[in-house]
Amino acid sequence: MTIQQKIPFFRVFIPAIIALLFILFSVIPFSFSPTTKIYVPLVLIVIYYFAIFRPSVLNVITVFFLGILTDLLLSVPFGLNAFFFVLIFFIANLGRSFLLDMSFNGLWISFAALMFAVDLLWYLFSCLISGEWLFLSPFILQYILLVLFCPLIISFCCWLNIKLGYKS
């Protein structure tokens, strides 16, 4: 078996490993005040990108298990992040034919719109789970940081996509 036969098999795991690294970055809290910790799920950008440009590499099963791992690391109700990760994967994958033809700005705007809806839903689920109305400011800051980091992470994913020889 030559090295050329092993490389394509290894390439399949690189997006999942990158997503795992972004999960590890996501569990590090941002703190703008002593009482508020914000966890920015940067892996959502990776899931969004690969659901559009390479859904066969980062598939729904991998995304589900990444969500379960995130639930375990953050000690949140089991399946909460997995639900949102799979939801984002399906929504981005459903709009794939439309999103493939968009410019970068269009991708960014569609990501911001999707994340607005998801963040609002995440807030409502969190209120339902805690049994009380929570402060909205951490969710707003999480949304803003996620949208601001989006161009950087999408650019990285695009570079990775090209380096690995995937064609978008």
Side-chain angles (χ1 to χ4, degrees), residues 49-63:
Y49 179 84
F50 282 105
I52 296 168
F53 291 100
R54 197 46 58 188
S56 61
V57 175
L58 192 65
N59 58 24
V60 71
I61 295 168
T62 306
V63 169

Side-chain angles (χ1 to χ4, degrees), residues 113-165:
L114 176 62
M115 285 304 110
F116 180 78
V118 166
D119 205 35
L120 183 62
L121 191 61
W122 208 314
Y123 171 74
L124 294 174
F125 269 55
S126 298
C127 290
L128 185 65
I129 289 168
S130 69
E132 61 186 11
W133 290 105
L134 303 172
F135 290 113
L136 192 57
S137 59
F139 293 93
I140 293 171
L141 286 173
Q142 174 184 340
Y143 170 74
I144 290 170
L145 287 172
L146 197 57
V147 171
L148 288 177
F149 279 119
C150 181
L152 180 66
I153 296 173
I154 282 183
S155 298
F156 172 73
C157 289
C158 184
W159 173 83
L160 181 69
N161 207 11
I162 292 168
K163 282 293 183 184
L164 292 175

Side-chain angles (χ1 to χ4, degrees), residues 38 76 81 94 111 147 149 163 166:
I38 300 168
V76 297
N81 284 302
L94 282 175
F111 177 78
V147 171
F149 279 119
K163 282 293 183 184
Y166 303 138

Side-chain angles (χ1 to χ4, degrees), residues 78-114:
F78 199 63
L80 184 66
N81 284 302
F83 169 74
F84 284 109
F85 288 8
V86 170
L87 179 69
I88 289 166
F89 181 86
F90 275 130
I91 291 171
N93 201 1
L94 282 175
R96 182 171 187 248
S97 61
F98 175 71
L99 294 170
L100 277 172
D101 295 331
M102 281 192 156
S103 67
F104 176 78
N105 290 336
L107 281 176
W108 192 11
I109 291 169
S110 67
F111 177 78
L114 176 62

